[in-house]
Amino acid sequence: MSISQRKAEGGVGSAAAGREFFDENGYLGPFTIYEPEAVQGIWEKARIELLNKKNAIYGNNKMNYDRHLDIKALSDVVSHPEIVRRVQSVLGPNILCWRTEWFPKYPGDQGTAWHQAESFVAFEGDSKLVPTESHDGSWEITVWFAFTEATRETACLKVIPKTHRTWFFDEHRNLPYDPKVSMKGTGSGFYGYDFEKLKIDPNWQPDESQALHFEMQAGQAFMFTSRCLHGSEPNTSKDKTRMGMAIRYVPSDVKVYPNHDDQFTHFGEVFPLQDYSAMLVAGEDSFGHNRIIPPL
Ligand SMILES: O=C(O)CCC(=O)C(=O)O
Ligand SMILES: [Fe+2]
């Protein structure tokens, strides 16, 4: 591992040191998965496949979640050994990818407001994730994978380290979806949900001076627990789109959508679950809580 890469991982080399850093800070990375030229080729093909929703499990759904279930190139990213081994260092040997989501920021787009999550009620219905074993530390991880470069100008991810130990938001409250909702004066929003309404203390304000901004090259990945305050600032560029894919992982004891037999709704879209499976990217599933498939 090069010195710059070790530095990029927060000064940690071994898996044990990585785990310690993650437990302490709530994140790890960024780390390089593909060189920028390689990921550009993957992205150019994948974005065309994303337009074809013939085999997409949610049909013609604008969110385009979970396309790793039908697009081989995305399944390859989700199950990439360099991502999976880092996830295993925190979650243990048996890993399910339970969701992939898109986070584009087009030129002029507002930022993503500070937020936290763990069981992903988000923002209608019930917990989407329910662990059945006790866990020492985090039991869900998001790996934010950069398909394009992400800079301060184009809305790179920001986090406030160590905030994963305190809940500032109540993710169990439901919120109505209203595409017209905007979060006053912040330049940020939450895609039609007023995240401010989830604040436990309505007067609390995040300490922006503690925020770290993680610029990333295309092909890099950043790992965090969604409990750690995270978000992004507006894309102030004139012509640069940044595209992130959030890959969400849990250990195999976690029940996924246990109270959502048929469907869930999110961002005004309906997601029927008849064809849904979690993807077992490492280890085994001795629990049998979820329908699972191997990588494509
Ligand atoms: O990309 C962003 O702006 C936010 C990403 C995010 O909230 C997530 O991956 O959970
Ligand atoms: Fe998030």
Side-chain angles (χ1 to χ4, degrees), residues 202-232:
N203 297 318
W204 168 82
Q205 291 296 339
D207 183 357
E208 295 276 350
S209 73
Q210 298 301 307
L212 298 182
H213 301 256
F214 289 96
E215 296 200 318
M216 289 162 68
Q217 288 185 349
Q220 288 195 313
F222 181 79
M223 173 169 133
F224 60 101
T225 158
S226 290
R227 284 180 63 139
C228 194
L229 281 168
H230 63 283
S232 59

Side-chain angles (χ1 to χ4, degrees), residues 173-229:
R173 271 180 224 162
N174 283 214
L175 283 177
Y177 172 72
D178 176 359
K180 293 185 294 299
V181 115
S182 74
M183 291 169 61
K184 311 132 263 173
T186 61
S188 294
F190 211 89
Y191 309 99
Y193 294 98
D194 186 354
F195 217 90
E196 291 278 306
K197 294 212 168 87
L198 298 187
K199 272 188 183 175
I200 293 169
D201 170 1
N203 297 318
W204 168 82
Q205 291 296 339
D207 183 357
E208 295 276 350
S209 73
Q210 298 301 307
L212 298 182
H213 301 256
F214 289 96
E215 296 200 318
M216 289 162 68
Q217 288 185 349
Q220 288 195 313
F222 181 79
M223 173 169 133
F224 60 101
T225 158
S226 290
R227 284 180 63 139
C228 194
L229 281 168

Side-chain angles (χ1 to χ4, degrees), residues 50-296:
L50 282 164
L51 296 174
N52 178 2
K53 300 189 185 174
K54 194 163 60 77
N55 296 319
I57 65 158
Y58 305 123
N60 191 25
N61 179 308
K62 74 171 192 285
M63 304 307 294
N64 236 349
Y65 282 3
D66 293 337
R67 297 299 305 272
H68 65 286
L69 294 175
D70 71 287
I71 299 178
K72 168 89 171 88
L74 300 180
S75 167
D76 288 349
V77 176
V78 160
S79 57
H80 194 291
E82 287 299 308
I83 292 179
V84 170
R85 78 175 170 84
R86 288 172 170 102
V87 174
Q88 285 179 299
S89 76
V90 177
L91 298 185
N94 307 312
I95 307 293
L96 300 175
C97 168
W98 71 277
R99 183 187 279 174
T100 50
E101 289 177 39
W102 298 103
F103 283 96
K105 291 288 181 199
Y106 300 103
D109 272 0
Q110 61 180 1
T112 304
W114 289 112
H115 64 287
Q116 293 179 297
E118 184 174 51
S119 53
F120 287 82
V121 173
F123 304 90
E124 298 164 61
D126 217 332
S127 298
K128 313 251 179 334
L129 302 176
V130 177
T132 62
E133 299 281 288
S134 68
H135 291 275
D136 181 19
S138 302
W139 53 265
E140 56 67 45
I141 277 182
T142 291
V143 171
W144 195 98
F145 180 81
F147 270 112
T148 62
E149 188 186 30
T151 62
R152 290 295 293 264
E153 185 193 17
T154 63
C156 66
L157 215 57
K158 60 179 184 179
V159 307
I160 303 185
K162 302 183 170 50
T163 49
H164 57 303
R165 297 209 196 85
T166 311
W167 281 110
F168 301 98
F169 294 96
D170 176 5
E171 67 159 346
H172 294 283
R173 271 180 224 162
N174 283 214
L175 283 177
Y177 172 72
D178 176 359
K180 293 185 294 299
V181 115
S182 74
M183 291 169 61
K184 311 132 263 173
T186 61
S188 294
F190 211 89
Y191 309 99
Y193 294 98
D194 186 354
F195 217 90
E196 291 278 306
K197 294 212 168 87
L198 298 187
K199 272 188 183 175
I200 293 169
D201 170 1
N203 297 318
W204 168 82
Q205 291 296 339
D207 183 357
E208 295 276 350
S209 73
Q210 298 301 307
L212 298 182
H213 301 256
F214 289 96
E215 296 200 318
M216 289 162 68
Q217 288 185 349
Q220 288 195 313
F222 181 79
M223 173 169 133
F224 60 101
T225 158
S226 290
R227 284 180 63 139
C228 194
L229 281 168
H230 63 283
S232 59
E233 295 196 3
N235 181 341
T236 56
S237 76
K238 293 250 174 323
D239 54 5
K240 291 182 217 132
T241 294
R242 74 87 152 142
M243 179 59 81
M245 178 172 73
I247 315 171
R248 310 218 193 265
Y249 298 96
V250 288
S252 61
D253 71 274
V254 174
K255 289 186 178 174
V256 183
Y257 302 117
N259 307 313
H260 298 69
D261 283 346
D262 298 328
Q263 64 179 53
F264 66 96
T265 55
H266 208 189
F267 301 107
E269 294 280 298
V270 175
F271 297 73
L273 289 168
Q274 284 80 2
D275 296 327
Y276 174 80
S277 300
M279 184 176 274
L280 183 69
V281 296
E284 55 185 38
D285 171 29
S286 59
F287 295 93
H289 293 325
N290 304 298
R291 190 161 58 225
I292 59 167
I293 57 162
L296 303 180

